[in-house]
């Protein structure tokens, strides 16, 4: 550990337990920060950051410290090995400091305190939690309060309980105290925080979870994935799966079981782990290479609970709005979403105050499950919901796709509907179409291996009759089968379900397109393009 002598402004190195008493600085990086090379080379007197270094040294010296530690100048960031060691040790360094000075350059009085950008930065989370004593300094280096005196404001701004912030606690107990907080709750503390580099939103949380991992700048969101995998190696807390999309941009239907960012845990500060369940209801998971083997309690499928005696779907509610049940959401907001009917309801071993968290899991025909996000919300089940004995499932850790694209199982089916100009719309389906955000009237469809139907109707003119597509994609041998035909005006989804079992499908190995006369001299043309990992269906009129 390299410390800055507050008298000489020289760096001194210490190893092992032979480390003198020191202060430590918490701050936001701003223009012209003094780096290690600037300090060693003596090239800092005219830089803006010199005021911050000198201010920290002055207040440390006045309070009896000979040494201080400042991240900007005490780490040689040109050495990747030193940077990795420092970031993996940083929580412990803040924990061991005699005092942490939090310099808030955008604060002038206590009235400004809660609005400081310091509370929005990723790295300052551990800098708030780890030290016993934190002294807050305003832009003029004057003390405006301490972690203890400003506890009520800090708790309100950060969502962190005062027992974790701790007015008085043995220093060595903070790591154990954090272990008693659910993984989801700890990740929620970082949900609204940001870092300059994408990877740092994961690296800044390593100390909060007492895990260590190498730094790989350039890996992007994979860093947060690695963090979750490391957490799962040391913890059996399944609240790590309790996240949602509802406060972010909801563009996906399917995903792996782990989140891409802490922002997915926004608003989930009340989730707690529930380790005291009986063995018959306890969940166990094991991390494999591409999936997690999850032994999870099952409530059944949505379809199975739809008409049971106790109306079980009315016992499952949104975490964000406990007045909205899964049943009412399906009926009022997503009446045409047939995929949700086949979803398996898994019940986690973590809970809100009102019930245990549930996940909608969807099997893709290969004994591999994904999370089905339905409306993007996270749900909980009241305790009186019937739960079966745990079942072992393999759930994908992460979906293989660009996160900005619709998140679909791979292989997938891409439907390019060029008949929209005639007023045709996809109005009913047995699958879960997800709009392609980059192309109008284009959808991604689930490829599960069974038969699915798509019903199209023109809302512009009765001249154009409704039609139906029935398809079956066999991903194991990349074989696509299709039927297309006109249907009567009163044709309903139940009719399509029956038809999908009876009609004869044509093989993509024997056809490149299907032509059906819609009106005089106008034909509906369905073209099929089977690719290595997906299949395109193109609808047009000629």
């Amino acid at each position: 550990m390299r410390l800055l002598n507050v008298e000489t402004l020289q760096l001194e190195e210490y190893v092992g337990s032979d480390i003198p008493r020191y202060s430590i600085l918490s701050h936001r990086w701003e223009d012209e920060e003094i780096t290690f090379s600037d300090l060693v080379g003596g090239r800092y007197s005219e830089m803006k950051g010199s005021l911050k270094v000198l201010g920290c040294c002055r207040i440390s010296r006045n309070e009896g410290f000979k040494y201080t530690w400042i991240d900007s100048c005490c780490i040689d960031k040109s050495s990747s090995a030193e940077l990795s060691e420092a970031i993996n040790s940083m929580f412990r360094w803040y924990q061991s400091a005699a005092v942490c000075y939090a310099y808030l350059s955008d604060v002038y009085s206590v009235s400004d305190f809660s609005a400081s950008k310091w509370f929005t930065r990723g790295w300052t989370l551990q800098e708030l939690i780890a030290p016993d004593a934190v002294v807050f300094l305003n832009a003029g280096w004057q003390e405006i309060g301490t972690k203890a005196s400003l506890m009520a404001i800090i708790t309100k701004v950060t969502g962190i309980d005062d027992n974790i912030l701790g007015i008085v606690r043995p220093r060595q107990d903070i790591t154990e105290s954090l272990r008693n907080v659910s993984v989801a709750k700890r990740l929620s503390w970082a949900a609204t925080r940001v870092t300059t580099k994408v990877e740092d939103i994961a690296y800044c949380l390593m100390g909060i979870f007492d895990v260590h991992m190498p730094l790989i700048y350039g890996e992007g969101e994979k860093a947060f994935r690695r963090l979750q995998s490391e957490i799962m190696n040391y913890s059996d807390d399944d609240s790590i799966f309790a996240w949602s999309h509802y406060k972010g941009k909801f563009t996906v239907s399917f995903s792996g079981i782990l989140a891409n960012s802490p922002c997915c845990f926004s608003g989930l500060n009340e989730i707690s782990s529930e380790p005291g369940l009986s063995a018959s209801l306890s969940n166990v998971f094991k991390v494999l290479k591409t999936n997690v083997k999850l032994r999870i309690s099952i409530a059944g499928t949505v379809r199975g609970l739809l008409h049971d005696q106790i109306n079980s779907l009315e016992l499952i509610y949104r975490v964000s709005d406990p007045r909205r049940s899964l049943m009412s959401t399906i009926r009022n907001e997503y009446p045409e979403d047939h995929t949700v009917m086949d979803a398996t309801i898994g019940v986690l071993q973590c809970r809100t105050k009102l019930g245990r968290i549930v996940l909608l899991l969807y099997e893709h025909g290969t004994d591999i499950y994904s999370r089905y996000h339905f409306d993007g919300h996270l749900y909980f089940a009241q305790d009186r919901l019937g739960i079966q004995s745990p079942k072992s499932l393999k759930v994908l850790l992460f979906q293989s796709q660009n996160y900005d694209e619709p998140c679909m199982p791979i292989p997938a089916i891409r439907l390019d509907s060029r008949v929209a100009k005639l007023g045709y719309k996809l109005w009913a389906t047995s699958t879960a179409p997800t709009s392609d955000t980059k192309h109008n009237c284009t959808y991604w469809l689930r490829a599960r291996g069974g038969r699915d139907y798509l019903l199209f109707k023109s809302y512009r003119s009765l001249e154009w009759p409704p039609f139906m597509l029935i398809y079956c994609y066999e991903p194991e041998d990349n074989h696509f089968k299709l039927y297309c035909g006109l249907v009567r005006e009163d044709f309903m989804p139940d009719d399509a379900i029956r038809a999908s079992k009876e009609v004869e499908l044509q093989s993509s190995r024997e056809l490149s397109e299907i032509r059906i006369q819609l009106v005089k001299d106008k034909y509906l043309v369905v073209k099929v393009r089977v690719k290595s990992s997906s299949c395109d269906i193109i609808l047009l009129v000629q």
Side-chain angles (χ1 to χ4, degrees):
M1 183 182 192
R2 194 179 287 116
L3 295 174
L4 178 64
N5 189 308
V6 299
E7 297 284 354
T8 65
L9 296 185
Q10 298 295 309
L11 294 170
E12 301 178 18
E13 195 153 348
Y14 295 89
V15 295
S17 59
D18 188 26
I19 298 176
R21 189 167 173 264
Y22 64 93
S23 65
I24 199 165
L25 181 68
S26 173
H27 66 111
R28 290 186 302 114
W29 276 55
E30 297 170 294
D31 294 339
E32 297 185 12
E33 293 286 351
I34 305 301
T35 65
F36 172 81
S37 59
D38 294 329
L39 190 66
V40 172
R43 303 183 301 271
Y44 60 87
S45 59
E46 301 299 321
M47 297 175 66
K48 293 180 181 178
S50 63
L51 297 177
K52 189 180 293 185
V53 172
L54 295 174
C56 181
C57 288
R58 182 177 64 254
I59 194 168
S60 296
R61 185 170 57 249
N62 291 343
E63 297 201 359
F65 294 102
K66 185 178 179 181
Y67 297 97
T68 192
W69 187 89
I70 306 173
D71 60 345
S72 58
C73 60
C74 290
I75 304 172
D76 181 3
K77 295 180 176 63
S78 66
S79 168
S80 58
E82 180 174 331
L83 178 61
S84 181
E85 179 185 2
I87 289 180
N88 276 274
S89 304
M90 204 168 289
F91 186 90
R92 177 167 47 86
W93 290 350
Y94 275 90
Q95 180 183 0
S96 300
V99 64
C100 172
Y101 297 118
Y103 174 64
L104 312 182
S105 61
D106 57 349
V107 171
Y108 297 90
S109 66
V110 175
S111 62
D112 306 328
F113 178 63
S114 62
S116 175
K117 292 181 180 179
W118 186 85
F119 288 110
T120 69
R121 305 302 297 176
W123 289 105
T124 58
L125 177 60
Q126 67 175 0
E127 294 164 12
L128 171 65
I129 292 174
D132 273 354
V134 179
V135 176
F136 291 97
L137 307 169
N138 68 9
W141 291 91
Q142 298 170 321
E143 181 177 331
I144 59 172
T146 65
K147 182 162 67 168
S149 67
L150 298 171
M151 182 71 70
I153 299 176
I154 296 171
T155 298
K156 183 177 181 180
V157 172
T158 64
I160 305 173
D161 297 337
D162 55 9
N163 64 313
I164 294 298
L165 295 174
I167 297 175
V168 177
R169 54 169 163 74
R171 182 172 296 161
Q172 64 271 22
D173 286 349
I174 181 57
T175 299
E176 188 61 35
S177 297
L178 286 169
R179 288 196 188 104
N180 293 328
V181 179
S182 73
V183 170
K185 187 168 186 173
R186 279 180 277 174
L187 288 171
S188 76
W189 298 339
T192 58
R193 292 176 179 259
V194 295
T195 54
T196 302
K197 294 183 177 180
V198 174
E199 299 84 357
D200 281 340
I201 199 61
Y203 303 155
C204 72
L205 296 174
M206 290 192 293
I208 302 292
F209 292 96
D210 193 25
V211 298
H212 302 278
M213 61 186 196
L215 310 187
I216 309 176
Y217 283 105
E219 66 176 331
E221 291 179 343
K222 290 181 181 179
F224 189 64
R225 301 176 184 179
R226 286 198 298 122
L227 174 69
Q228 292 171 92
S229 295
E230 285 296 322
I231 293 170
M232 293 168 69
N233 286 333
Y234 294 96
S235 170
D236 59 359
D237 180 358
D238 64 6
S239 73
I240 195 171
F241 309 136
W243 55 274
S244 73
H245 281 305
Y246 92 98
K247 283 203 172 182
K249 183 182 179 183
F250 176 53
T251 61
V252 302
S253 294
F254 296 91
S255 79
I257 199 168
L258 295 184
N260 280 349
S261 165
C263 69
C264 295
F265 293 86
S266 180
L268 302 177
N269 194 43
E270 297 301 322
I271 292 180
S272 60
S273 57
E274 191 176 34
L277 295 177
S278 64
S280 62
L281 294 177
S282 295
N283 299 334
V284 179
F285 56 81
K286 180 180 180 181
V287 182
L288 305 177
K289 186 175 182 180
T290 60
N291 57 72
V292 57
K293 188 174 182 181
L294 181 62
R295 183 174 175 268
I296 185 171
S297 300
I298 301 296
T301 64
V302 172
R303 190 183 304 279
L305 299 183
L306 187 61
H307 301 297
D308 66 356
Q309 294 181 348
I310 63 172
N311 206 5
S312 295
L313 294 185
E314 291 287 2
L315 302 179
I316 301 175
Y317 294 87
R318 286 180 179 175
V319 171
S320 61
D321 183 4
R323 299 166 299 177
R324 187 72 60 85
S325 71
L326 181 59
M327 174 68 87
S328 64
T329 303
I330 292 173
R331 285 179 173 173
N332 300 329
E333 298 183 30
Y334 298 86
E336 296 175 5
D337 188 340
H338 296 272
T339 299
V340 71
M341 295 299 175
D342 295 326
T344 296
I345 300 174
V347 185
L348 296 181
Q349 197 169 315
C350 57
R351 62 183 298 117
T352 66
K353 294 178 180 179
L354 300 176
R356 288 172 65 181
I357 300 297
V358 302
L359 302 181
L360 297 180
L361 303 172
Y362 195 87
E363 185 180 10
H364 299 299
T366 55
D367 296 324
I368 296 292
Y369 287 76
S370 290
R371 273 196 66 177
Y372 180 54
H373 292 283
F374 183 41
D375 58 348
H377 286 262
L378 188 67
Y379 284 79
F380 72 89
Q382 291 184 354
D383 291 331
R384 55 197 179 101
L385 179 72
I387 299 175
Q388 305 167 14
S389 298
K391 179 180 179 181
S392 291
L393 307 176
K394 286 185 178 180
V395 186
L396 288 174
L397 285 172
F398 309 103
Q399 198 79 39
S400 300
Q401 92 293 318
N402 184 320
Y403 190 61
D404 293 331
E405 291 291 330
C407 180
M408 294 299 297
I410 303 298
I413 301 168
R414 184 174 181 269
L415 174 66
D416 183 356
S417 177
R418 301 178 187 175
V419 295
K421 62 183 179 180
L422 301 176
Y424 276 108
K425 291 185 179 180
L426 177 62
W427 75 275
T429 174
S430 60
T431 184
T434 303
S435 297
D436 189 321
T437 56
K438 296 182 179 179
H439 302 90
N440 292 332
C441 302
T442 303
Y443 308 90
W444 288 92
L445 308 175
R446 173 168 47 88
R448 64 176 182 178
R451 292 191 176 197
D452 283 293
Y453 69 82
L454 306 168
L455 293 179
F456 288 83
K457 180 183 294 186
S458 177
Y459 288 82
R460 188 173 300 169
S461 173
L462 293 176
E463 177 186 8
W464 302 102
F467 65 89
M468 172 179 65
L469 291 178
I470 297 175
Y471 68 88
C472 176
Y473 190 15
E474 299 173 356
E476 291 79 8
D477 56 2
N478 206 25
H479 188 196
F480 187 84
K481 298 178 181 179
L482 178 69
Y483 166 87
C484 181
L486 303 182
V487 296
R488 61 185 186 272
E489 285 291 337
D490 60 350
F491 198 82
M492 300 299 290
D494 286 345
D495 300 316
I497 292 173
R498 287 191 293 271
S500 66
K501 299 176 182 177
E502 299 170 357
V503 299
E504 183 176 348
L505 305 183
Q506 293 180 263
S507 171
S508 60
R509 293 168 182 167
E510 302 169 358
L511 65 89
S512 61
E513 67 178 39
I514 297 175
R515 297 175 67 87
I516 298 175
Q517 187 172 6
L518 288 172
V519 295
K520 185 179 179 180
D521 299 328
K522 294 293 184 181
Y523 290 84
L524 170 68
V525 181
V526 184
K527 296 187 177 183
V528 179
R529 301 289 184 265
V530 179
K531 303 177 181 179
S532 59
S533 62
S534 66
C535 177
D536 286 355
I537 305 175
I538 303 170
L539 304 180
L540 64 154
V541 172
Q542 291 181 344

